[in-house]
Amino acid sequence: MKSGARRPAALSGVRTTLLLLALAGAGFSAHAGDVDLDVDGKPEEACLNTEKTLRMVMNIWANGATDTYAQVKPDIEKELGEKGERGAKVLAVYHEMIPRIESGEFLPPKVVSRYEGHQKLRAAAHVVCMKALSS
């Protein structure tokens, strides 16, 4: 069943393509993601945006989109670097969470499913982000 053997790889490519199209359609600047920190001083909203972007980063990493992944990190750093003190605090969150994503902490087999991994990533990112913005 050669066609069955090709199907998972083809589906992964399709998922990556759909993700990139969705990101482009959603107005993400050069893969930087949703790093909007102008949310009336509410850390919860800024952290929600950060959680969303980290989930996007994890999807790109997990799907093996290496070229895109190589662009994401510098784009995030550039975008947050332009956001002053608050951007620097949120950038520290990315610096803490991205190595955890790269280690597979939120992906099977370390978690039961990708859904569970996304939930754990959101929870961990929220704690780290709220702590960073509260300081």
Side-chain angles (χ1 to χ4, degrees):
M1 293 192 142
K2 287 185 178 182
S3 63
R6 286 186 236 157
R7 180 168 270 156
L11 287 176
S12 178
V14 169
R15 277 188 231 126
T16 301
T17 301
L18 290 174
L19 175 65
L20 294 176
L21 289 173
L23 295 175
F28 283 83
S29 69
H31 310 297
D34 193 356
V35 292
D36 180 16
L37 301 180
D38 302 323
V39 288
D40 301 323
K42 297 177 184 170
E44 298 84 4
E45 291 294 322
C47 289
L48 178 62
N49 293 337
T50 302
E51 292 164 29
K52 288 178 188 177
T53 303
L54 282 166
R55 289 178 59 220
M56 175 199 70
V57 168
M58 186 169 82
N59 281 331
I60 293 168
W61 172 260
N63 288 328
T66 54
D67 291 342
T68 303
Y69 190 75
Q71 293 173 349
V72 167
K73 289 168 52 174
D75 286 349
I76 289 171
E77 291 204 11
K78 179 182 181 286
E79 182 116 359
L80 288 172
E82 298 169 354
K83 303 277 186 182
E85 182 182 341
R86 196 167 201 193
K89 288 180 178 183
V90 173
L91 185 56
V93 175
Y94 285 93
H95 286 163
E96 182 172 335
M97 296 305 298
I98 286 178
R100 293 172 68 180
I101 290 170
E102 292 173 348
S103 76
E105 179 179 337
F106 306 105
L107 292 169
K110 293 185 179 179
V111 294
V112 174
S113 67
R114 280 180 107 169
Y115 172 79
E116 179 187 355
H118 276 276
Q119 297 308 311
K120 287 187 176 203
L121 173 61
R122 285 183 75 176
H126 183 78
V127 169
V128 172
C129 186
M130 290 297 289
K131 184 176 179 181
L133 290 180
S134 296
S135 61

